[in-house]
Amino acid sequence: MGANQDMNIYSVNKVIGYASNGVEYAQMYRKEIFDSLHFKDYYIFLNYLSRNMAVYTDLMGYPRNKIIGIYNFLSHRTTENSTFTIENFLEFLENQSNRNYELLNQTDQSIEVKINQMDRYKIWLLKPGVVDRIDYIVNNSLVSVSHYDKTLNNVEEYHNGKLIKRTFYEINGNPCYEQFYVNNEISVTFIDGQILYGKMAFYQYFFQQLNLQQNDVVIIDRPLDVIEGILPVLANKVRLFSVVHAEHYNENLSKGRHILWNNNYEYIFDYADYFEAIIVATDRQNRILTQQLNKDTEIKTIPVGYINKISQNHTYKPLLVY
């Protein structure tokens, strides 16, 4: 991948959590290389996270200014520490018609706030004194969940136990956009005077807001349920790459020229001509995929990790079982 210092490099992932797997670690190894070359690299996460993304990205060592969470980006928020406290919320309650409350069931993880016989709040803590989210419960039914970082980030609304809507807020408290859900899937998004139908339209809108340039690089790390939506706004507009992180086909169910692809990569292989290169981890993967794909798209071998020095210490006993 030829590069220049003026381009931006975006690695596209879906989600990150406490139990990061090989994809996130592959991104981190790649980030170390980009850092050594002084490239401007950014890491995009497309899935909604109920907890402040900084909790997870900090564990992996991502610099805050290189993280782009789609929901925060579109509400003009940066990735910041969670600092909204229990005291902030209780002060808010007191200012709302001087509502009386009683604190119940205090643990290290949560605190219940009783307003009356019907209404109560359950405050979930990110760490002692710091709010993660607050459930609003009426007559034992969940009505809404408010998520916080530095300020109110977003509010979920529920009906009969099912998520129906999220409202996302700017850092100053102003509502920014609304999203409606059917069966926990995005149905409609109202944003900036536009109506976006479905998840893919939402993703496309996001990538349009990035104002990508022709020499920018976009690396797709998790394509399933993503690439078919964003390819129309990326193809022939940026330098597009995809990483094949795992075995890409089922050998037992493949016969002759009929290849049963891994469903994570099938769409990319079908539309490989739009990619500058597909990246694999080993030369063996490269040889097999080059033969199977039979397209002009270049297949590049880039190992996931590396070592600075090969140890010559062979004092261990390879056949010994402990």
Side-chain angles (χ1 to χ4, degrees), residues 28-61:
M28 287 304 302
Y29 297 141
R30 190 191 308 151
K31 185 189 81 67
E32 292 175 5
I33 296 173
F34 291 157
D35 287 346
S36 68
L37 298 173
H38 306 292
F39 290 151
K40 293 178 287 187
D41 54 312
Y42 303 92
Y43 299 86
I44 295 171
F45 296 94
L46 296 177
N47 282 10
Y48 173 82
L49 290 177
S50 61
R51 178 162 287 184
N52 186 349
M53 185 175 290
V55 173
Y56 309 116
T57 55
D58 285 358
L59 287 174
M60 292 291 294

Side-chain angles (χ1 to χ4, degrees), residues 69 71-80 148-154 168-173:
Y71 290 91
N72 276 357
F73 179 88
L74 293 177
S75 52
H76 316 123
R77 305 175 74 101
T78 55
T79 305
E80 300 189 36
Y148 294 84
D149 43 45
K150 186 176 181 179
T151 61
L152 178 63
N153 185 295
N154 68 88
F168 294 87
Y169 293 84
E170 296 178 330
I171 196 73
N172 60 10

Side-chain angles (χ1 to χ4, degrees), residues 104-218:
L104 304 172
N105 302 325
Q106 300 185 49
T107 71
D108 292 338
Q109 288 77 40
S110 65
I111 298 174
E112 290 192 35
V113 181
K114 180 181 178 182
I115 305 300
N116 53 47
Q117 293 301 321
M118 299 286 290
D119 298 2
R120 61 186 174 94
Y121 293 94
K122 188 164 187 176
I123 306 173
W124 296 93
L125 304 178
L126 188 63
K127 56 185 179 180
V130 177
V131 174
D132 176 27
R133 67 188 190 276
I134 300 176
D135 299 347
Y136 177 46
I137 301 166
V138 177
N139 198 22
N140 293 321
S141 295
L142 181 64
V143 173
S144 66
V145 180
S146 300
H147 298 265
Y148 294 84
D149 43 45
K150 186 176 181 179
T151 61
L152 178 63
N153 185 295
N154 68 88
V155 176
E156 300 176 326
E157 297 178 28
Y158 288 81
H159 179 68
N160 292 332
K162 294 183 178 180
L163 173 67
I164 58 171
K165 179 184 176 183
R166 286 190 181 109
T167 303
F168 294 87
Y169 293 84
E170 296 178 330
I171 196 73
N172 60 10
N174 291 329
C176 188
Y177 62 97
E178 296 179 324
Q179 204 161 64
F180 292 83
Y181 299 81
V182 176
N183 296 326
N184 285 322
E185 292 289 338
I186 299 171
S187 175
V188 181
T189 304
F190 294 93
I191 185 169
D192 193 26
Q194 298 188 47
I195 303 174
L196 311 176
Y197 294 98
K199 178 170 65 176
M200 297 307 173
F202 181 59
Y203 288 166
Q204 290 175 5
Y205 176 84
F206 162 71
F207 278 96
Q208 290 165 351
Q209 304 312 301
L210 285 179
N211 294 318
L212 300 174
Q213 305 301 309
Q214 187 73 45
N215 65 332
D216 286 340
V217 170
V218 176

